[in-house]
Amino acid sequence: MLRRTFSFGAAAALALTGLAPASASAQELRVLVHGSFSLPKPMLAQFEADAGVKLGIIKGGDAGEMLNKLILTRAQPIADVVFGIDNALVSKAVAANVLEPYAGPAASRAAVVPLQGPVVPVDYGYVNLNYDKAWFAKSGLALPKSLDDLALPAYRDLLVVQNPATSSPGYAFLLATVSGMGEQAAFDWWARMRANGVKVAKGWSEAYYTEFSRNGGSRPLVVSYASSPAAEVFYSKEKITEPPTGSLFLKGGVLRQVEGVALVRGGQQREAAGRFIEFMRSKAVQEALQTTMWMFPAEPGVPRPDVMRHAGEPAAFEDPAGDLVARKGADWVSRWTRVVLK
C-alpha cells in the first residue's frame, strides 16, 4: 500500500531508482524509506554532491512493513538511516532496539510537532474522512456530523475504509476510533457500520481511485488525508482552483501522524547519515515535501505553498500513546477483522 500516492507521475519515480553518484569513488548511504517517500531528483543529487556519497534508496513498503524489515535484519542492518517511522511505531522501534540516538542540531531544535525517542520529526499529517462535494450537493443529504451518524440508515453503503491489516491509513483510522470512542464503544460502532454496509478496500489506492465516487466509484465517503483536497487541485488536468473534495474532522475519526528520521543501530556511514537527518529538516526539503509527500513541515517557520490552503488542519485529533499502540495494536486489528470481516 502506498500512502498519499496521488498522481505523482515522474516525480514519484525519482526516489525509486538509484541516483547518479557524486563521484566514481563515492560510498553508498543506505536510506530505508516507506513507499510514499518522494523528493525532487535535483535536490537528492545535490545532497549526494554535498555529502560525497551515493544515495541508495530502499523502498520498505508500508511504514509498518518497513519497520518489520528493520527488526528482522537488525543483526546485519540493511540501512544506515531510516525515514518514515511515525508516532504509532516509535515505541515498537525503541523496544526492538533498532535505532540509535542522534545528537546533531536537528535533534535539539524545536519542532512544530513532537516525536519521542531517537526519531527526529520531519513532517506530520492527518488521516480523516474525505467527501465528494458534487455527490452530496446532488443528493441533498447532509454531511455527517459524527461517526454515529454514519451508522444511520441514511448513510448506508456510503463509506469505504481500508483494511487496517494491510493499509497505513486504515490502521490509523482504526486507532482514531479506539482512541476517540473508547475500545468497546469503537468496536460496537464498527459492528454497526458492518450492518450499515461499510466497504473495505485492501489499500488506499483501491479505496480512493476505485471505490470513491469522485473517481467513478459508488462511495462518496472515504478514509484519506487532510491534504487530499489540496492534491486534487495540484494534480487537476482542468487546473481547478477549488477542490472537488473536502475533509470531515469528526470526533474519533481523525488521527495525527508524525513521521521522522533516525540512525539505524549498527549502520555505517555515520557522518553522511547525520547529514541526511539535517537534510530532511532543511528549509528546501521541508518546502518540497508538502507537494511531493503531501505532509505538513515539522520545521517551524517554513512557508507553505498556496495550494496547501486547501489542506485544513483540525482543531482536535486523536494521538494515542505509542506504548499503548505497541502493546494492543495487533489485538485491535485482529478484533476488527472478526467484527467487520468474519
Side-chain angles (χ1 to χ4, degrees):
M1 210 302 292
L2 299 187
R3 303 168 313 112
R4 304 187 302 276
T5 307
F6 299 93
S7 302
F8 286 168
L14 300 178
L16 289 171
T17 57
L19 299 165
S23 68
S25 60
Q27 297 189 47
E28 183 181 46
L29 176 66
R30 302 169 301 167
V31 184
L32 181 63
V33 299
H34 59 49
S36 291
F37 176 82
S38 177
L39 287 172
K41 185 177 181 179
M43 188 173 291
L44 295 174
Q46 186 62 53
F47 172 82
E48 289 184 318
D50 292 344
V53 296
K54 180 185 185 304
L55 282 174
I57 303 295
I58 306 166
K59 290 276 187 168
D62 175 277
E65 181 184 358
M66 177 188 73
L67 177 55
N68 286 338
K69 289 179 180 178
L70 204 58
I71 293 171
L72 290 172
T73 59
R74 58 188 159 192
Q76 294 182 305
I78 61 173
D80 307 309
V81 62
V82 57
F83 166 74
I85 293 177
D86 64 24
N87 48 319
L89 297 171
V90 169
S91 292
K92 181 178 179 180
V94 170
N97 200 31
V98 294
L99 305 178
E100 286 186 2
Y102 172 68
S108 57
R109 201 160 61 242
V112 175
V113 287
L115 200 54
Q116 69 180 77
V119 184
V120 177
V122 169
D123 59 48
Y124 69 101
Y126 303 91
V127 172
N128 54 268
L129 295 181
N130 282 189
Y131 67 94
D132 179 352
K133 290 181 177 179
W135 189 97
F136 276 93
K138 183 178 179 180
S139 72
L141 182 66
L143 289 170
K145 295 182 179 180
S146 68
L147 291 183
D148 284 331
D149 283 352
L150 294 174
L152 298 175
Y155 297 92
R156 181 174 180 82
D157 297 334
L158 299 189
L159 174 64
V160 57
V161 303
Q162 300 86 11
N163 189 327
T166 55
S167 163
S168 288
Y171 183 55
F173 189 70
L174 170 60
L175 295 181
T177 61
V178 172
S179 179
M181 305 173 82
E183 184 172 348
Q184 186 57 51
F187 285 104
D188 288 345
W189 179 80
W190 279 109
R192 287 186 286 136
M193 289 304 298
R194 175 178 181 170
N196 212 38
V198 66
K199 177 86 173 182
V200 178
K202 182 178 180 180
W204 180 87
S205 294
E206 177 188 343
Y208 200 88
Y209 287 122
T210 301
E211 302 296 342
F212 189 33
S213 59
R214 159 66 183 163
N215 295 305
S218 63
R219 306 278 168 148
L221 292 165
V222 61
V223 172
S224 193
Y225 295 89
S227 58
S228 297
E232 288 279 357
V233 172
F234 189 83
Y235 292 116
S236 65
K237 293 180 181 179
E238 304 85 359
K239 299 305 176 185
I240 57 178
T241 57
E242 291 298 324
T245 63
S247 288
L248 292 177
F249 300 134
L250 306 180
K251 170 66 176 174
V254 185
L255 185 120
R256 185 176 71 179
Q257 287 184 314
V258 183
E259 299 180 325
V261 61
L263 297 176
V264 175
R265 184 172 296 279
Q268 304 168 10
Q269 301 290 342
R270 275 296 174 258
E271 181 181 352
R275 294 186 71 163
F276 186 81
I277 291 176
E278 297 298 328
F279 169 71
M280 292 301 291
R281 280 288 292 274
S282 68
K283 182 174 182 288
V285 169
Q286 292 284 294
E287 289 182 349
L289 63 80
Q290 297 178 67
T291 53
T292 57
M293 292 189 274
W294 294 99
M295 298 289 272
F296 299 104
E299 186 71 22
V302 173
R304 296 187 181 182
D306 182 66
V307 72
M308 288 299 278
R309 65 187 170 86
H310 301 297
E313 290 196 61
F317 51 84
E318 306 306 325
D319 189 14
D323 57 348
L324 177 64
V325 173
R327 290 198 318 271
K328 304 197 69 174
D331 291 339
W332 289 337
V333 171
S334 296
R335 185 174 178 183
W336 181 94
T337 301
R338 293 193 301 272
V339 169
V340 179
L341 298 182
K342 293 184 177 180

